[in-house]
Amino acid sequence: MAASYIQEEHEIFREAVRKFLDQEARPNYREWEKGGMIPREFWMKLGQQGFLCPGVAESYGGYNADFAYSVILNEEFERIGSSLVGIGLHNDIVTPYIDSYGTEEQKNKWLPKCATGEMISAIAMTEPGAGSDLAGIKTTAVKDGDSFILNGEKTFITNGILADLVVVVCKTDPKANPPHKGMSLLVVERDTPGFKRGRKLEKVGLHAQDTAELIFEDVRVPAENLLGEEGKGFYYLMDKLQQERLVVSIAAQTAAETMLKETVSYVKQREAFGKPISKLQTVQFRIAEMATEVEVGRSFLDDLINQHIEGKEVTTKVSMSKWWHTEMARRVITECMQLHGGYGYMEEYEIARRYRDIPVASIYAGTNDIMKSIIAKNMGL
């Protein structure tokens, strides 16, 4: 049964997205993994189809779509493979910062090109010495006339190599006490002098997703590229991280559903001791347990998406979902790999890729330990 936030027009949209991805992404995915990159041409095709920045107003190139359209896009991207995570980041994490906090000039300048795929976006939070502790970042932006001089290093940046537009989390007041009150968001454009890409990072999984180090050496950023108000960066991040964590939960749930379905099909075909292994009680029980977890996950997630669409405050539940769904997906995919036997360890089987790709979901967008800390704090502990 479809979730209550899914209407007929959403299902029509899903069919269009699925048909496009099956034609344009699925046959090429293995090559993209070998190349370590989702090609820019694919981004342009997504833009032509209207699959980028759906929530942005029509005047800026989007179609002012409700969040259910983003849910569908993220589910269908994940159905192809976790390396498409950078597209969801562009659609539902980075451009909403510009959409929510940008000036008319900023929105007119950047959003239409984000919607066509001409501009690919990234957000640069994490540093070599600061991850979950965002207040500990060292990147600074010092005011100099009508510019900021930006210095620092960022790492693990999704879309880092391809990005034309980077929202950089920096300290405009390094002496602020408490430190988070000195944080701001600056938008840095490709080819700005002093802005360099470091290494394209080699990861255990997500091989087709470009992740990079970014280096800023005396980068002169126009003051008009400040996003929102100076010193409000931390509050903007706290506001938008909820949707980011929800997007991670959606991907984890979809990965678990996809691999469970594939594994059920596999165990029905695979024979041992003269019969399909699906007839073995131990296999049946393991599948039954996974199916239950996946079903519970879907119910919780759909309810949470509904609340998010309705504009409710869901910080605690999103934190619960982010840690639980990513851990559940890892359990399910590990079990599915085991049920594939030796074939589960072979690169030609999708389960092997999923086994590599899913663990990082418990780390990014705030580690699962941080999620539990947020839950505990919000419970008054």
Side-chain angles (χ1 to χ4, degrees), residues 141 148-150 166-170 172 184-188 221-223 225-227:
F148 287 94
I149 306 299
L150 182 67
V166 184
V167 176
V168 180
V169 181
C170 56
T172 44
S184 301
L185 304 181
L186 275 182
V187 181
V188 180
V221 183
N225 282 24
L226 177 72
L227 208 51

PDB file of all heavy atoms in Angstrom, residues 141 148-150 166-170 172 184-188 221-223 225-227:
ATOM      1  N   ALA A 141      37.217  32.907   7.839  1.00  0.00           N
ATOM      2  CA  ALA A 141      36.938  33.891   6.786  1.00  0.00           C
ATOM      3  C   ALA A 141      37.005  35.268   7.434  1.00  0.00           C
ATOM      4  O   ALA A 141      36.144  35.632   8.237  1.00  0.00           O
ATOM      5  CB  ALA A 141      35.566  33.644   6.177  1.00  0.00           C
ATOM      6  N   PHE A 148      35.637  38.549   1.952  1.00  0.00           N
ATOM      7  CA  PHE A 148      36.154  37.721   3.045  1.00  0.00           C
ATOM      8  C   PHE A 148      37.389  36.997   2.505  1.00  0.00           C
ATOM      9  O   PHE A 148      37.390  36.545   1.355  1.00  0.00           O
ATOM     10  CB  PHE A 148      35.131  36.671   3.489  1.00  0.00           C
ATOM     11  CG  PHE A 148      33.970  37.230   4.255  1.00  0.00           C
ATOM     12  CD1 PHE A 148      32.789  37.574   3.609  1.00  0.00           C
ATOM     13  CD2 PHE A 148      34.032  37.390   5.634  1.00  0.00           C
ATOM     14  CE1 PHE A 148      31.700  38.071   4.314  1.00  0.00           C
ATOM     15  CE2 PHE A 148      32.960  37.888   6.350  1.00  0.00           C
ATOM     16  CZ  PHE A 148      31.792  38.236   5.693  1.00  0.00           C
ATOM     17  N   ILE A 149      38.419  36.860   3.342  1.00  0.00           N
ATOM     18  CA  ILE A 149      39.594  36.068   2.957  1.00  0.00           C
ATOM     19  C   ILE A 149      39.472  34.719   3.661  1.00  0.00           C
ATOM     20  O   ILE A 149      39.525  34.628   4.886  1.00  0.00           O
ATOM     21  CB  ILE A 149      40.917  36.757   3.357  1.00  0.00           C
ATOM     22  CG1 ILE A 149      40.964  38.193   2.804  1.00  0.00           C
ATOM     23  CG2 ILE A 149      42.114  35.943   2.866  1.00  0.00           C
ATOM     24  CD1 ILE A 149      40.906  38.300   1.292  1.00  0.00           C
ATOM     25  N   LEU A 150      39.276  33.681   2.846  1.00  0.00           N
ATOM     26  CA  LEU A 150      38.961  32.342   3.350  1.00  0.00           C
ATOM     27  C   LEU A 150      40.212  31.465   3.376  1.00  0.00           C
ATOM     28  O   LEU A 150      40.920  31.356   2.367  1.00  0.00           O
ATOM     29  CB  LEU A 150      37.888  31.718   2.454  1.00  0.00           C
ATOM     30  CG  LEU A 150      37.344  30.340   2.787  1.00  0.00           C
ATOM     31  CD1 LEU A 150      36.545  30.345   4.086  1.00  0.00           C
ATOM     32  CD2 LEU A 150      36.458  29.838   1.634  1.00  0.00           C
ATOM     33  N   VAL A 166      30.233  25.668  -3.845  1.00  0.00           N
ATOM     34  CA  VAL A 166      30.453  25.003  -2.553  1.00  0.00           C
ATOM     35  C   VAL A 166      30.011  25.922  -1.414  1.00  0.00           C
ATOM     36  O   VAL A 166      30.507  27.048  -1.302  1.00  0.00           O
ATOM     37  CB  VAL A 166      31.941  24.618  -2.362  1.00  0.00           C
ATOM     38  CG1 VAL A 166      32.128  23.845  -1.061  1.00  0.00           C
ATOM     39  CG2 VAL A 166      32.448  23.793  -3.545  1.00  0.00           C
ATOM     40  N   VAL A 167      29.073  25.447  -0.614  1.00  0.00           N
ATOM     41  CA  VAL A 167      28.685  26.177   0.598  1.00  0.00           C
ATOM     42  C   VAL A 167      29.700  25.780   1.673  1.00  0.00           C
ATOM     43  O   VAL A 167      29.750  24.627   2.092  1.00  0.00           O
ATOM     44  CB  VAL A 167      27.252  25.820   1.038  1.00  0.00           C
ATOM     45  CG1 VAL A 167      26.909  26.514   2.363  1.00  0.00           C
ATOM     46  CG2 VAL A 167      26.247  26.204  -0.047  1.00  0.00           C
ATOM     47  N   VAL A 168      30.529  26.740   2.080  1.00  0.00           N
ATOM     48  CA  VAL A 168      31.630  26.461   3.001  1.00  0.00           C
ATOM     49  C   VAL A 168      31.262  26.932   4.414  1.00  0.00           C
ATOM     50  O   VAL A 168      30.906  28.097   4.620  1.00  0.00           O
ATOM     51  CB  VAL A 168      32.940  27.151   2.548  1.00  0.00           C
ATOM     52  CG1 VAL A 168      34.082  26.841   3.515  1.00  0.00           C
ATOM     53  CG2 VAL A 168      33.309  26.711   1.125  1.00  0.00           C
ATOM     54  N   VAL A 169      31.359  26.004   5.363  1.00  0.00           N
ATOM     55  CA  VAL A 169      31.137  26.344   6.773  1.00  0.00           C
ATOM     56  C   VAL A 169      32.461  26.875   7.320  1.00  0.00           C
ATOM     57  O   VAL A 169      33.488  26.200   7.252  1.00  0.00           O
ATOM     58  CB  VAL A 169      30.684  25.108   7.570  1.00  0.00           C
ATOM     59  CG1 VAL A 169      30.421  25.476   9.031  1.00  0.00           C
ATOM     60  CG2 VAL A 169      29.435  24.494   6.933  1.00  0.00           C
ATOM     61  N   CYS A 170      32.435  28.102   7.824  1.00  0.00           N
ATOM     62  CA  CYS A 170      33.681  28.736   8.275  1.00  0.00           C
ATOM     63  C   CYS A 170      33.420  29.601   9.502  1.00  0.00           C
ATOM     64  O   CYS A 170      32.266  29.831   9.877  1.00  0.00           O
ATOM     65  CB  CYS A 170      34.265  29.589   7.153  1.00  0.00           C
ATOM     66  SG  CYS A 170      33.111  30.830   6.523  1.00  0.00           S
ATOM     67  N   THR A 172      33.696  33.244  10.903  1.00  0.00           N
ATOM     68  CA  THR A 172      33.918  34.653  10.591  1.00  0.00           C
ATOM     69  C   THR A 172      34.287  35.416  11.871  1.00  0.00           C
ATOM     70  O   THR A 172      34.758  36.545  11.806  1.00  0.00           O
ATOM     71  CB  THR A 172      32.668  35.275   9.940  1.00  0.00           C
ATOM     72  OG1 THR A 172      31.503  34.836  10.659  1.00  0.00           O
ATOM     73  CG2 THR A 172      32.533  34.854   8.492  1.00  0.00           C
ATOM     74  N   SER A 184      29.696  31.005  10.021  1.00  0.00           N
ATOM     75  CA  SER A 184      28.915  31.550   8.903  1.00  0.00           C
ATOM     76  C   SER A 184      29.010  30.604   7.705  1.00  0.00           C
ATOM     77  O   SER A 184      29.838  29.688   7.689  1.00  0.00           O
ATOM     78  CB  SER A 184      29.438  32.941   8.513  1.00  0.00           C
ATOM     79  OG  SER A 184      29.360  33.846   9.594  1.00  0.00           O
ATOM     80  N   LEU A 185      28.165  30.847   6.710  1.00  0.00           N
ATOM     81  CA  LEU A 185      28.182  30.066   5.467  1.00  0.00           C
ATOM     82  C   LEU A 185      28.572  30.982   4.316  1.00  0.00           C
ATOM     83  O   LEU A 185      27.945  32.019   4.081  1.00  0.00           O
ATOM     84  CB  LEU A 185      26.792  29.465   5.188  1.00  0.00           C
ATOM     85  CG  LEU A 185      26.172  28.596   6.282  1.00  0.00           C
ATOM     86  CD1 LEU A 185      24.815  28.066   5.823  1.00  0.00           C
ATOM     87  CD2 LEU A 185      27.082  27.435   6.657  1.00  0.00           C
ATOM     88  N   LEU A 186      29.620  30.600   3.591  1.00  0.00           N
ATOM     89  CA  LEU A 186      30.073  31.356   2.419  1.00  0.00           C
ATOM     90  C   LEU A 186      29.960  30.468   1.187  1.00  0.00           C
ATOM     91  O   LEU A 186      30.330  29.295   1.232  1.00  0.00           O
ATOM     92  CB  LEU A 186      31.534  31.774   2.572  1.00  0.00           C
ATOM     93  CG  LEU A 186      31.888  33.056   3.327  1.00  0.00           C
ATOM     94  CD1 LEU A 186      33.399  33.266   3.276  1.00  0.00           C
ATOM     95  CD2 LEU A 186      31.174  34.271   2.767  1.00  0.00           C
ATOM     96  N   VAL A 187      29.485  31.026   0.089  1.00  0.00           N
ATOM     97  CA  VAL A 187      29.389  30.263  -1.163  1.00  0.00           C
ATOM     98  C   VAL A 187      30.610  30.580  -2.027  1.00  0.00           C
ATOM     99  O   VAL A 187      30.856  31.734  -2.366  1.00  0.00           O
ATOM    100  CB  VAL A 187      28.093  30.600  -1.924  1.00  0.00           C
ATOM    101  CG1 VAL A 187      28.004  29.775  -3.208  1.00  0.00           C
ATOM    102  CG2 VAL A 187      26.874  30.342  -1.044  1.00  0.00           C
ATOM    103  N   VAL A 188      31.370  29.521  -2.337  1.00  0.00           N
ATOM    104  CA  VAL A 188      32.589  29.676  -3.150  1.00  0.00           C
ATOM    105  C   VAL A 188      32.347  29.041  -4.516  1.00  0.00           C
ATOM    106  O   VAL A 188      31.894  27.891  -4.605  1.00  0.00           O
ATOM    107  CB  VAL A 188      33.811  29.022  -2.457  1.00  0.00           C
ATOM    108  CG1 VAL A 188      35.064  29.193  -3.308  1.00  0.00           C
ATOM    109  CG2 VAL A 188      34.025  29.627  -1.064  1.00  0.00           C
ATOM    110  N   VAL A 221      36.593  35.905  -1.254  1.00  0.00           N
ATOM    111  CA  VAL A 221      35.183  35.629  -1.558  1.00  0.00           C
ATOM    112  C   VAL A 221      34.390  36.927  -1.387  1.00  0.00           C
ATOM    113  O   VAL A 221      34.455  37.548  -0.318  1.00  0.00           O
ATOM    114  CB  VAL A 221      34.615  34.545  -0.622  1.00  0.00           C
ATOM    115  CG1 VAL A 221      33.172  34.204  -0.997  1.00  0.00           C
ATOM    116  CG2 VAL A 221      35.481  33.287  -0.648  1.00  0.00           C
ATOM    117  N   PRO A 222      33.664  37.369  -2.412  1.00  0.00           N
ATOM    118  CA  PRO A 222      32.886  38.612  -2.273  1.00  0.00           C
ATOM    119  C   PRO A 222      31.919  38.518  -1.090  1.00  0.00           C
ATOM    120  O   PRO A 222      31.318  37.461  -0.861  1.00  0.00           O
ATOM    121  CB  PRO A 222      32.115  38.705  -3.597  1.00  0.00           C
ATOM    122  CG  PRO A 222      32.813  37.785  -4.536  1.00  0.00           C
ATOM    123  CD  PRO A 222      33.455  36.717  -3.717  1.00  0.00           C
ATOM    124  N   ALA A 223      31.769  39.611  -0.353  1.00  0.00           N
ATOM    125  CA  ALA A 223      30.864  39.626   0.801  1.00  0.00           C
ATOM    126  C   ALA A 223      29.432  39.276   0.380  1.00  0.00           C
ATOM    127  O   ALA A 223      28.656  38.739   1.172  1.00  0.00           O
ATOM    128  CB  ALA A 223      30.909  40.983   1.488  1.00  0.00           C
ATOM    129  N   ASN A 225      28.582  36.914  -1.313  1.00  0.00           N
ATOM    130  CA  ASN A 225      28.438  35.447  -1.323  1.00  0.00           C
ATOM    131  C   ASN A 225      28.180  34.884   0.077  1.00  0.00           C
ATOM    132  O   ASN A 225      28.109  33.676   0.256  1.00  0.00           O
ATOM    133  CB  ASN A 225      29.681  34.779  -1.915  1.00  0.00           C
ATOM    134  CG  ASN A 225      29.716  34.853  -3.434  1.00  0.00           C
ATOM    135  OD1 ASN A 225      29.102  35.741  -4.021  1.00  0.00           O
ATOM    136  ND2 ASN A 225      30.420  33.944  -4.070  1.00  0.00           N
ATOM    137  N   LEU A 226      28.063  35.756   1.074  1.00  0.00           N
ATOM    138  CA  LEU A 226      27.670  35.310   2.418  1.00  0.00           C
ATOM    139  C   LEU A 226      26.225  34.847   2.350  1.00  0.00           C
ATOM    140  O   LEU A 226      25.361  35.556   1.819  1.00  0.00           O
ATOM    141  CB  LEU A 226      27.806  36.465   3.417  1.00  0.00           C
ATOM    142  CG  LEU A 226      27.365  36.171   4.852  1.00  0.00           C
ATOM    143  CD1 LEU A 226      28.338  35.245   5.562  1.00  0.00           C
ATOM    144  CD2 LEU A 226      27.217  37.479   5.644  1.00  0.00           C
ATOM    145  N   LEU A 227      25.954  33.651   2.865  1.00  0.00           N
ATOM    146  CA  LEU A 227      24.598  33.099   2.833  1.00  0.00           C
ATOM    147  C   LEU A 227      23.908  33.418   4.156  1.00  0.00           C
ATOM    148  O   LEU A 227      24.375  33.010   5.225  1.00  0.00           O
ATOM    149  CB  LEU A 227      24.686  31.587   2.623  1.00  0.00           C
ATOM    150  CG  LEU A 227      23.518  30.881   1.923  1.00  0.00           C
ATOM    151  CD1 LEU A 227      23.155  31.556   0.609  1.00  0.00           C
ATOM    152  CD2 LEU A 227      23.871  29.417   1.681  1.00  0.00           C
TER     153      LEU A 227
END
